[in-house]
Amino acid sequence: MEKRNGRFAIIEQLLADGIRYMFGNPGTSEEGFLDAIGDYYPEFEYILALQETIAVAAADGYARSTKKPTIVQLHSGVGLGNGIGMMYQAMRGHAPLVVLAGESGVQYDAMDAQMAADLVSMAKPVTKWATRVVHPNSLLRVLRRAIKIAATPPMGPVFVSLPMDVLDAPNEEEVVPTSFPITRVAPEPGAIAKAASMLATASKPLIIVGDGIAYSDAQAELTRVAELIGAQVWGSDSSEPNMSATHPLFGGLLGHMFGEVSSRITSQADVVLICGTYVFPEVFPALSGAFAPEAKIIHIDLNSYEIAKNFPVDLGIVSDPKITLAKLSAELDKILTAEQKRIVCQRTTQIAEAKKQQMTEQYEADRAVHDFVPLHLSQFAEELARHLPPNAIVFDEAITHSEELCRYIPPTTVGHYFQTRGGSLGVGIPGAIGVKLAHPDKTAIGFTGDGGAMYTIQALWTAAHHNIDAKFVICNNRSYRILKLNILQYWQEQQIAPPHEFPASFDLCHPDIRFDELARAMGVQAVRVETPEQIKSAIAQALFHNGPFLIDLVISGEVPGMRG
C-alpha cells in the first residue's frame, strides 16, 4: 500500500500493541477495516459473534484471563445498545475492554438520519472514558489513549466512536506502541507502621479482599499477613482466587444480594483490613451497621475512589497491594510480641477447626443425596474433580450451585478460576470461549445455569465456527432458582406469610429446554445427563473430544423447605 487510510492504520496500531483478536458482530459502517483484515493482516483474527452481548462477554473472558486490553467491535447505536448490559458487567469487573463502534460519518451529523445516535452519551455510564474521533489524523492518538486508559488501574472498559468517513480518509499518523504508566506504588513507611500497629493489637481482626489482589499478584503476600495476625479472610467483589479456598483462614465470599449477610460477619471485628476491593457490592447493601462502632478500618487499594466511598476509614492507603502487603508483613514480623503470636496461633486453630467442621457437615449432606434423581451438582463436581487436569481453568456462572462446585474443585490458583461478576446473566458460555482463546494449551470449562445460558446461547455457534475447544456445563434446574431464594428473603422482610407457590415466571420447564439439541444444531457436540450412571461417561466424552462440547446436566431446582 503506497498510501493507507484510517481503516488500515487502526489494525496496524492494534498489531503494534500486540493485540491479535477482535471480538465483534459486523455492520456496514465498520466494513472498511473488517475488509482490510483478511487481505492485508492475516495474523489478526476476527472472532465472530452472532449478537453483540456475546462479543462483549467473550472479550471480557479473554481480558480477565490475560489482564490485557482487548478489542470489541460493535455496530452503530443499535449494536452498542445490545452490548451495553455486558459492558456494565465489564465496568463492574474492571475488564480492560476497548469498545469500538462505527457510525455513518461526521458529514451526516446534521441529517438526523436512520440509525443516528449520540454513541458517546450512550456509552459514558458504562465506561471509564468515552469519545468520538472527529479528524482523520487523530485516529491513532485517540486509540492509543483509549488502550492506555482501559489498561491502567483501576482497569475498565472504554469506548471510541469511529465515523466511517474518518476511517476512509487518508491517515498519515505514525504507528507507535501505546505507553502504559507503572502503577507499582509503594506507601510511606509511616502508613505501614500505623497499619501494622492497629492489626497487631487486634483481638478480632478481619480481612476483606477483592480482585485487586489477583491483579497485583498479591495472593502470597495477603496470605502471609492473614497468617501473621490470625485473621479470617472474606471475599468482596471477589471473583478470582485472591486467597486459596482451601486455606484454613479463608472464610468464603460475603453476601452478593443482601447487606445483612455481610454485616453479620463484618460487624464482629475490632480491626478490619480491606484490600483490593470496595465495600460492599451487594444489590441491597447495608446503609449502616456494617462495622462495629469502635472498629478500626484500614483500606488499601490502587483505586482511590473506592477508599472511604461508603464508610469512614481510619487509614486509607492508595498503593499497590502486593508491595504494600509485603511491607506490612515485614513490619508485623518485626513488632509482634511472643504473647501476641501465641494468641494468633490459638485464634488460627479455632478458625481452622470451625471451618473443618463446617466442611465435614457439607460433605455429609452431599453424601446423603449422592444417588438422588434429579441430580445434585455435587454428584457431578465430585466426579469431574477426579478427571479434570490440574491446570484446567474454570469459568463459574453456576450461581446458586457455585458453592457445591467449589467444594470439589476449589479455587486455589490465580488465573485458573473466574466467577461471574457485575450482575449480568449469560457470561458463562462466552466467558469460557474467551478464556480458551487466551490459553489454548489448557482445558477451559464453563459452568452456567439454564436461565443464564439462554441469554447467550448463540455463543455455541462461535465456538463451533472458530473450533474453540472449550467445554460447557449447563446446570439445568429448569428455573431461575436465584429468584426463588431471593423472594424467600423478601417474604420474610415484608412479613408475608404463610409461604406460597413461587411466581410462575420463575420456572423454565414448560416446555423443557433441550440444551443438548440446541448445541448440536449449532455444531457443538453434546450429551444430556439425568442419572448418576451417566456422569462419568459424559465427562470422559467432553474432555477427550477435540472441539467444543456441552453437557446438559439436569439437576434439582429444589429450594429448601419450599414447593418449587
Side-chain angles (χ1 to χ4, degrees):
M1 290 179 293
E2 294 182 1
K3 194 172 187 179
R4 55 115 153 90
N5 295 340
R7 63 193 180 100
F8 296 102
I10 195 171
I11 305 301
E12 292 172 6
Q13 179 62 56
L14 297 178
L15 289 171
D17 282 320
I19 296 170
R20 296 291 181 269
Y21 291 114
M22 177 183 288
F23 299 81
N25 180 260
T28 302
S29 51
E30 302 86 19
E31 60 189 9
F33 70 81
L34 296 178
D35 183 46
I37 292 173
D39 291 339
Y40 294 98
Y41 308 104
E43 68 273 40
F44 192 87
E45 187 173 359
Y46 185 86
I47 304 300
L48 174 60
L50 299 183
Q51 208 264 3
E52 290 85 357
T53 298
I54 297 160
V56 178
D60 179 77
Y62 183 88
R64 291 179 66 184
S65 194
T66 62
K67 294 179 171 53
K68 293 180 180 179
T70 302
I71 307 300
V72 181
Q73 172 267 317
L74 305 179
H75 173 55
S76 194
V78 290
L80 175 59
N82 286 340
I84 276 178
M86 205 57 76
M87 289 169 64
Y88 177 85
Q89 170 96 357
M91 180 187 71
R92 281 295 183 185
H94 303 294
L97 302 186
V98 179
V99 181
L100 311 176
E103 53 167 295
S104 58
V106 175
Q107 61 183 315
Y108 300 113
D109 278 4
M111 303 301 292
D112 190 26
Q114 178 75 0
M115 297 180 71
D118 185 351
L119 304 189
V120 173
S121 294
M122 289 174 65
K124 274 185 177 179
V126 294
T127 56
K128 284 181 67 178
W129 184 64
T131 193
R132 185 189 192 211
V133 181
V134 294
H135 191 279
N137 283 329
S138 289
L139 175 63
L140 301 191
R141 178 182 291 109
V142 170
L143 182 58
R144 284 192 296 270
R145 186 183 304 170
I147 292 170
K148 182 204 73 169
I149 292 173
T152 301
M155 297 190 299
V158 298
F159 173 80
V160 180
S161 176
L162 300 174
M164 196 170 181
D165 48 7
V166 170
L167 293 177
D168 286 339
N171 184 282
E172 299 175 357
E173 292 178 279
E174 182 183 0
V175 174
V176 295
T178 298
S179 301
F180 298 99
I182 295 171
T183 58
R184 289 285 189 187
V185 184
E188 294 181 348
I192 290 294
K194 184 176 181 181
S197 176
M198 293 165 66
L199 291 167
T201 56
S203 61
K204 297 179 181 178
L206 182 77
I207 300 178
I208 301 172
V209 299
D211 289 340
I213 298 293
Y215 173 78
S216 183
D217 191 27
Q219 191 193 57
E221 290 78 7
L222 164 70
T223 302
R224 178 61 178 155
V225 170
E227 291 170 345
L228 282 168
I229 63 174
Q232 196 169 41
V233 178
W234 289 85
S236 175
D237 195 35
S238 176
S239 64
E240 298 190 42
N242 296 297
M243 184 180 191
S244 172
T246 61
H247 195 285
L249 289 174
F250 182 70
L253 302 181
L254 295 175
H256 165 69
M257 188 63 61
F258 301 103
E260 65 183 54
V261 176
S262 300
S263 296
R264 285 197 292 267
I265 297 166
T266 58
S267 63
Q268 302 303 308
D270 63 342
V271 179
V272 180
L273 171 61
I274 306 165
C275 192
T277 190
Y278 70 102
V279 289
F280 288 97
E282 302 100 347
V283 177
F284 303 101
L287 299 177
S288 61
F291 303 109
E294 303 302 321
K296 300 297 183 183
I297 312 298
I298 306 163
H299 197 156
I300 300 166
D301 202 349
L302 275 172
N303 188 354
S304 61
Y305 171 75
E306 300 295 357
I307 296 175
K309 181 176 74 173
N310 292 319
F311 302 99
V313 303
D314 296 276
L315 179 60
I317 304 174
V318 180
S319 61
D320 175 71
K322 186 178 183 72
I323 292 175
T324 307
L325 292 171
K327 290 180 178 294
L328 184 56
S329 66
E331 183 69 14
L332 285 165
D333 244 337
K334 187 169 64 175
I335 68 171
L336 281 167
T337 66
E339 176 61 14
Q340 287 171 332
K341 290 178 180 179
R342 185 191 66 79
I343 295 172
V344 164
C345 183
Q346 185 180 58
R347 185 164 56 234
T348 299
T349 299
Q350 292 172 345
I351 294 171
E353 288 177 350
K355 179 173 182 176
K356 183 178 179 180
Q357 177 62 30
Q358 182 186 42
M359 294 298 293
T360 298
E361 292 172 359
Q362 290 172 339
Y363 286 131
E364 288 175 352
D366 290 343
R367 281 194 292 272
V369 298
H370 189 268
D371 297 318
F372 278 26
V373 175
L375 298 167
H376 288 250
L377 184 59
S378 58
Q379 298 160 273
F380 181 87
E382 183 177 9
E383 185 65 31
L384 178 62
R386 298 189 183 107
H387 305 281
L388 204 60
N391 66 346
I393 304 174
V394 173
F395 197 104
D396 174 13
E397 196 196 14
I399 312 290
T400 60
H401 300 285
S402 287
E403 188 176 337
E404 294 172 85
L405 174 65
C406 293
R407 273 202 292 278
Y408 296 93
I409 307 174
T412 59
T413 307
V414 171
H416 289 264
Y417 175 86
F418 300 93
Q419 193 175 51
T420 180
R421 58 187 182 182
S424 299
L425 282 179
V427 299
I429 296 175
I433 289 172
V435 165
K436 182 63 180 179
L437 281 171
H439 300 283
D441 58 325
K442 294 181 173 65
T443 297
I445 181 166
F447 287 80
T448 187
D450 46 346
M454 289 306 297
Y455 278 64
T456 54
I457 196 67
Q458 311 100 306
L460 294 174
W461 183 92
T462 296
H465 179 70
H466 293 282
N467 194 30
I468 300 169
D469 186 20
K471 315 302 177 185
F472 313 101
V473 178
I474 310 296
C475 301
N476 186 357
N477 59 30
R478 305 177 184 181
S479 67
Y480 291 121
R481 188 168 182 260
I482 184 69
L483 297 182
K484 293 182 178 182
L485 294 172
N486 289 345
I487 204 170
L488 287 178
Q489 178 78 14
Y490 174 77
W491 288 343
Q492 181 180 344
E493 290 177 354
Q494 300 298 317
Q495 299 182 341
I496 297 173
H500 50 279
E501 293 285 349
F502 294 116
S505 56
F506 290 5
D507 287 318
L508 302 173
C509 53
H510 301 295
D512 187 27
I513 302 174
R514 292 293 304 236
F515 289 95
D516 54 333
E517 295 177 3
L518 285 171
R520 286 192 288 269
M522 286 184 276
V524 173
Q525 290 297 308
V527 64
R528 187 174 176 96
V529 173
E530 299 176 281
T531 67
E533 297 76 21
Q534 296 171 325
I535 292 175
K536 186 174 182 179
S537 172
I539 290 172
Q541 289 182 64
L543 294 180
F544 287 104
H545 178 71
N546 183 21
F549 196 98
L550 180 141
I551 296 175
D552 182 4
L553 182 65
V554 181
I555 58 177
S556 172
E558 177 187 7
V559 175
M562 287 297 302
R563 300 184 301 275

